[in-house]
Amino acid sequence: TADRAPAALVVTCPDQLGPSVRRAVPERIDVVAYPNLGPPERVDWVDYGERNRRNDPDAAAAALLRRAGGRTIYAAVNNGYLTLGNQCAAFVAALGRSRRPELLLDAQGDRYYEAMTLYAFRPSATP
């Protein structure tokens, strides 16, 4: 039954989306933030741009897939943040090499200030 299914794993990319997503998602759901896949409640702004230049979207995706195991991954993404460039798109593409992305909600940047695109990566959906 649904109550026995493992809870989903939610990831935000970038981490700047983490606090608002964490507030909107029930506490029983695991939420992490790209790039370090840590808690999403706060963004560490110290040396933010410098740290973001060292991010590895492929390594982060591999770590997230290991963490997810048999759970569905939901990715809330907004591309083009100043110091991240296309890293979120690269992160989604890396996830998509292992699981087929399912577009659930397309960002409406003209309608919402911090619009997010939402993808589902189900464990049985291979590319």
Side-chain angles (χ1 to χ4, degrees):
T1 64
D3 60 341
R4 291 186 186 168
L9 173 59
V10 177
V11 62
T12 66
C13 189
D15 53 355
Q16 295 176 46
L17 302 176
S20 61
V21 170
R22 174 73 276 173
R23 286 190 300 271
V25 174
E27 281 298 316
R28 64 182 171 75
I29 304 293
D30 193 10
V31 181
V32 297
Y34 175 92
N36 65 6
L37 308 181
E41 288 83 4
R42 299 190 192 281
V43 177
D44 180 2
W45 294 107
V46 176
D47 300 322
Y48 192 71
E50 180 182 323
R51 282 185 292 115
N52 281 334
R53 284 188 285 281
R54 295 189 306 259
N55 294 338
D56 182 343
D58 290 332
L64 185 71
L65 287 162
R66 282 191 302 275
R67 182 173 180 163
R71 297 184 286 172
T72 296
I73 298 169
Y74 292 94
V77 179
N78 187 323
N79 292 308
Y81 272 69
L82 187 59
T83 63
L84 285 125
N86 292 320
Q87 288 185 38
C88 290
F91 178 65
V92 166
L95 291 172
R97 287 192 286 277
S98 293
R99 297 182 182 185
R100 184 178 321 127
E102 177 185 345
L103 179 63
L104 300 178
L105 180 67
D106 200 359
Q108 297 179 359
D110 56 338
R111 187 168 178 193
Y112 300 104
Y113 175 65
E114 286 195 338
M116 295 174 228
T117 297
L118 182 63
Y119 296 95
F121 295 88
R122 300 183 197 288
S124 60
T126 55

